[in-house]
Amino acid sequence: MTGSVTFSMIKPDAIQDGQVGQIIAMIEARGFCLKALELTQLTLARAGQFYAMHKERPFYEQLCKYMASSPIIAMVLTKPNAVADFRALIGATDPAEAAPGTIRKRFGKSIEGNAIHGSDADETALIETRFFFPKLSL
Ligand code: IDP
Ligand code: MG
């Protein structure tokens, strides 16, 4: 399934603001199929593990606190060319720089509270999928 799977999280801000249905509708309209979905809350330690590659970045601690502050929705999505197509759908990290029609442009509030996560490579997608759904067979 490599190449056809990506991992996503709807972030706390988008859930608090009641935007889950609209975001999932945009994802499905772009041709992605849901393979797994869970509403869950990360502990600070698990948020730290998930974003470990950003440990040295100045925003790391605040990002982990934010991601553990209230529930997130973890999703595994399938589609040919899933990683790149999903990154195109969500848009640039900073919603202010995201292209029109992208999820982050529409729902992001700040560079941190940017509504949604998307894996950055096939290998990362598998690691992130296993982090949330260790028993899922792909
Ligand atoms: P990405 O989510 O577009 O892949 P990354 O660089 O991997 O962006 O950063 C992970 C997350 O960290 C971002 O989605 C955002 O929530 C947060 N983040 C990134 N850069 C900054 C920043 O400069 N200030 C605050 N938060 C940031
Ligand atoms: Mg990233």
Side-chain angles (χ1 to χ4, degrees):
M1 292 278 277
T2 300
S4 60
V5 178
T6 195
F7 173 81
S8 177
M9 279 188 285
I10 300 179
K11 297 190 180 184
D13 58 288
I15 296 178
Q16 295 305 309
D17 291 348
Q19 296 163 334
V20 171
Q22 296 172 84
I23 289 173
I24 292 178
M26 285 178 75
I27 293 169
E28 291 184 322
R30 194 61 71 94
F32 289 90
C33 184
L34 274 165
K35 178 94 180 165
L37 181 150
E38 185 185 16
L39 176 74
T40 185
Q41 187 159 356
L42 287 163
T43 61
L44 190 57
R46 268 182 59 84
Q49 252 181 295
F50 185 87
Y51 281 113
M53 79 291 288
H54 293 312
K55 251 196 328 254
E56 310 305 329
R57 309 276 288 277
F59 58 81
Y60 174 71
E61 271 190 35
Q62 179 53 43
L63 172 65
C64 294
K65 276 189 213 162
Y66 163 65
M67 291 301 292
S69 65
S70 69
I72 57 93
I73 289 176
M75 298 181 286
V76 179
L77 300 159
T78 59
K79 176 191 188 301
N81 201 34
V83 167
D85 286 2
F86 197 75
R87 294 289 302 197
L89 174 62
I90 69 177
T93 305
D94 184 351
E97 289 168 15
T102 60
I103 292 174
R104 283 171 165 170
K105 183 67 173 187
R106 189 158 162 207
F107 298 111
K109 286 110 202 148
S110 65
I111 191 164
E112 176 185 83
N114 58 4
I116 193 157
H117 166 84
S119 305
D120 61 6
D122 289 339
E123 193 192 352
T124 325
L126 294 180
I127 292 167
E128 293 176 347
T129 294
R130 282 195 206 105
F131 186 86
F132 280 92
F133 303 101
K135 292 179 190 154
L136 186 70
S137 63
L138 290 170

